[in-house]
Amino acid sequence: MYIGVTYETATVEERACVSLDKAQKDELKETLRTHLSIKAFAIITTCNRTEIYFESAVVTPHDIQELLITHVENRHQIKLSKNVFTTFDQSIDTVNHLLHVANGLRSAVIGDKQIIHQVKASYLDALNHGNQGSLLERAFQAVFRSHKRVSSESLYRQGSTSTAYSSLKMTEKYVGKVAIKHQKVLIIGAGEIAEDVLKYLPKFPVSEVFIANRTQEKAQKLANRFEAQTYEWRH
């Protein structure tokens, strides 16, 4: 079964409320194990989605929805609408959704290459903690086989399939190919998307590049790798 909040159903503010850092993710996993007695589950959390895939004979997506709403309302002191959730209680619907997500068909940038790595990380996390379950195990293996076939047997992976690259192309189109040479770029954050932007930036000859991050050390490390400058987060 499945329950999720994605950019397709929720605003940025609503998604932020169910976004999970490592500590919150660990807390949710413990709650799923102890309070709901779910032994098999995988959690995928990205900037665009927070999703839980699970197998159980007694627990429903509605049960997890109530748990998440209570958690969000207690932590953030807001009311979270049930309309932001998508749920599936049938295996076929759940697996089809996972196949679509993993192959980038549900991404903001269709064909996004990054999501498969996030799906694999979620699977490996479940595997490392013994939470993969028999049905989920087969579902994820089907996903990895399909992704390999899509990549090798179709033209689907050709072209721009990166949020970072698409963002830079949009920026270039907005300011113009000539004017972009005189622009300064400020990258806020030092995560995977920021790193992707820095990898693609040599194709776009901007004048200067700055990185600002809450943790100065992470910003400096990234700046050193890509010959950029850091910018004070407090400014």
Side-chain angles (χ1 to χ4, degrees):
M1 288 176 275
Y2 163 89
I3 179 167
V5 177
T6 75
Y7 77 98
E8 295 173 293
T9 60
T11 64
V12 172
E13 290 78 14
E14 288 167 330
R15 292 203 309 278
C17 289
V18 293
S19 177
L20 306 169
D21 59 24
K22 186 182 183 305
Q24 291 167 338
K25 194 174 176 181
D26 288 343
E27 183 183 333
L28 176 59
K29 288 190 284 189
E30 187 61 25
T31 301
L32 292 175
R33 289 190 202 99
T34 56
H35 289 242
L36 295 179
S37 299
I38 300 175
K39 306 300 181 189
F41 59 86
I43 302 172
I44 298 174
T45 176
T46 74
C47 56
N48 274 334
R49 65 186 67 249
T50 297
E51 301 186 323
I52 303 173
Y53 297 83
F54 69 101
E55 54 183 90
S56 173
V58 292
V59 178
T60 69
H62 175 76
D63 297 325
I64 298 179
Q65 177 181 282
E66 291 300 313
L67 185 146
L68 288 172
I69 288 176
T70 300
H71 168 80
V72 166
E73 292 183 349
N74 289 341
R75 182 182 288 270
H76 298 282
Q77 304 300 311
I78 66 160
K79 286 288 182 184
L80 188 63
S81 170
K82 292 181 179 180
N83 294 332
V84 303
F85 293 93
T86 300
T87 61
F88 300 121
D89 57 10
Q90 298 294 316
S91 295
I92 187 66
D93 298 324
T94 300
V95 175
N96 275 334
H97 180 77
L98 179 57
L99 285 163
H100 278 77
V101 168
N103 283 293
L105 286 166
R106 289 289 188 178
S107 298
V109 174
I110 298 298
D112 179 23
K113 293 176 181 176
Q114 197 174 38
I115 187 65
I116 187 63
H117 302 298
Q118 294 160 330
V119 169
K120 283 181 179 177
S122 173
Y123 166 71
L124 289 174
D125 182 67
L127 202 63
N128 290 336
H129 292 89
N131 297 324
Q132 75 275 23
S134 58
L135 293 176
L136 274 177
E137 170 72 27
R138 280 181 279 173
F140 275 100
Q141 291 307 322
V143 163
F144 301 142
R145 285 196 302 271
S146 78
H147 185 269
K148 188 174 182 180
R149 289 194 62 194
V150 167
S151 300
S152 61
E153 297 177 27
S154 76
L155 302 178
Y156 178 55
R157 289 289 169 211
Q158 289 191 358
S160 171
T161 52
S162 162
T163 302
Y165 187 76
S166 296
S167 300
L168 288 168
K169 287 294 288 183
M170 287 174 67
T171 304
E172 182 186 62
K173 185 178 180 180
Y174 180 76
V175 302
K177 285 192 175 184
V178 175
I180 201 168
K181 296 176 183 178
H182 309 291
Q183 305 299 316
K184 296 178 182 178
V185 172
L186 171 62
I187 298 171
I188 301 174
E192 292 179 20
I193 293 290
E195 190 170 332
D196 273 1
V197 169
L198 287 161
K199 286 177 182 176
Y200 288 119
L201 258 175
K203 299 176 184 289
F204 303 86
V206 298
S207 64
E208 291 181 279
V209 181
F210 298 87
I211 304 169
N213 191 61
R214 284 190 181 90
T215 307
Q216 175 66 17
E217 186 182 349
K218 287 181 72 175
Q220 190 63 60
K221 191 175 180 181
L222 211 54
N224 292 344
R225 277 181 60 197
F226 293 96
E227 298 181 357
Q229 303 173 61
T230 59
Y231 191 81
E232 285 286 339
W233 179 263
R234 60 194 175 90
H235 295 316

